[in-house]
Amino acid sequence: MTFDAKRSDLTVGVIGAGAMGRGIAQVAVTGGMRVLMCDNRAGAAAEAKDFVAKMLDRAVEKGTLTKDAHAAAVGRIEIVDGPVAMGSCHLVIEVIVENLAAKQAMFAELEGIVADDCILATNTSSLSVTTIAAKLKHPGRFGGFHFFNPVPLMKLVEVIDGVRTEPWVGDAL
């Protein structure tokens, strides 16, 4: 399989709206991607969208972003009700609690929702990518995509292949 990271309709799902999730969303929307964002805490994803808007306000004030680019970027963030709404995503990045069972359950749910060519990625920094993917039906499309905090300022991301991650997935990430 191949993955076109430059496609004009690239849609990224972000599950988890804490500091890392909102930073990943900010980087994605300023890069022109559409972001579907959710969090299991009521209101957290909307708060994250507001936070991103405020961070982009600062960029406008500094002259590094135009008002039109700001409006377009914020407009590309869509708050959704949960993993069930990630069906149109080309990439879903999980940024939830560092709990193996929770991550495995969430990815098992996602497998029944997203297309076969959707990349599933974890932002974990402490759990094994191979272990998280172990119970997946299609572990080859799973990889680690570890951003560093604060995401918009750290121009660094670690891509981690699991034992069964297919080469096209690591290349795409």
Side-chain angles (χ1 to χ4, degrees):
M1 272 190 224
T2 61
F3 185 89
D4 182 4
K6 296 186 187 282
R7 63 187 296 161
S8 61
D9 66 340
L10 185 62
T11 302
V12 177
V14 177
I15 301 177
M20 296 304 289
R22 66 184 179 222
I24 292 167
Q26 180 178 335
V27 168
V29 297
T30 56
M33 297 166 218
R34 176 177 172 233
V35 170
L36 304 183
M37 178 177 255
C38 66
D39 194 284
N40 65 356
R41 184 176 64 80
E47 291 168 12
K49 181 177 181 177
D50 292 343
F51 182 87
V52 169
K54 287 177 184 164
M55 292 297 101
L56 297 179
D57 284 340
R58 290 184 185 174
V60 170
E61 291 168 5
K62 292 178 182 178
T64 59
L65 189 69
T66 67
K67 288 182 180 183
D68 288 345
H70 173 287
V74 174
R76 285 190 290 272
I77 300 175
E78 182 180 340
I79 306 308
V80 297
D81 289 332
V84 71
M86 300 288 170
S88 65
C89 292
H90 303 103
L91 163 66
V92 178
I93 305 168
E94 162 275 314
V95 198
I96 66 172
V97 63
E98 289 292 290
N99 176 285
L100 178 61
K103 290 179 187 296
Q104 286 180 325
M106 198 261 320
F107 283 115
E109 178 184 356
L110 274 173
E111 273 197 306
I113 296 166
V114 299
D116 290 342
D117 61 349
C118 176
I119 295 175
L120 301 177
T122 179
N123 185 62
T124 190
S125 60
S126 63
L127 297 173
S128 162
V129 170
T130 298
T131 303
I132 296 169
K135 294 184 178 182
L136 294 177
K137 293 175 189 166
H138 305 286
R141 65 164 163 180
F142 185 83
F145 205 32
H146 177 225
F147 291 81
F148 292 78
N149 195 21
V151 176
L153 300 179
M154 298 294 289
K155 297 182 187 290
L156 175 67
V157 65
E158 178 182 30
V159 176
I160 307 109
D161 287 346
V163 169
R164 296 176 65 190
T165 303
E166 294 179 18
W168 69 271
V169 173
D171 292 346
L173 293 173

